[in-house]
Structure formats: C-alpha cells, structure tokens
C-alpha cells in the first residue's frame, strides 16, 4: 500500500485576493488612482 502525504500544517496559505478588494470603496487612494490614470490617457 502506498503512503499518502498530506499538506504541511506549518505552511502558510495565501488567499488569492486582489489589491482592489482590500481597499475600501471610499478610500482616498481611489481618487489618487483615478487622477494618475487620467494623466496616462493624455
């Protein structure tokens, strides 16, 4: 019978979360981001 290995319990698991999901919708960072994006379009 083959030995079955599991996951290492000490290993850190990282959730796949985007940076956009971590920033509040009313954060001032969003205003700065919109301003910088407007500069790049011109």
């Amino acid at each position: 019978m083959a030995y079955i290995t599991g996951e290492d319990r000490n290993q850190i698991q990282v959730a796949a979360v985007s940076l956009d999901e971590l920033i509040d919708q009313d954060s001032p960072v969003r205003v700065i981001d919109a301003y910088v994006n407007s500069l790049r379009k011109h």
Side-chain angles (χ1 to χ4, degrees), residues 7-27:
E7 294 184 26
D8 182 9
R9 293 179 186 214
N10 296 321
Q11 182 176 352
I12 298 173
Q13 295 180 354
V14 179
V17 178
S18 70
L19 187 60
D20 192 48
E21 293 174 356
L22 296 175
I23 300 172
D24 291 334
Q25 290 296 320
D26 59 347
S27 175

Side-chain angles (χ1 to χ4, degrees), residues 23-24 26-35:
I23 300 172
D24 291 334
D26 59 347
S27 175
V29 172
R30 296 202 182 267
V31 175
I32 297 168
D33 185 49
Y35 175 71

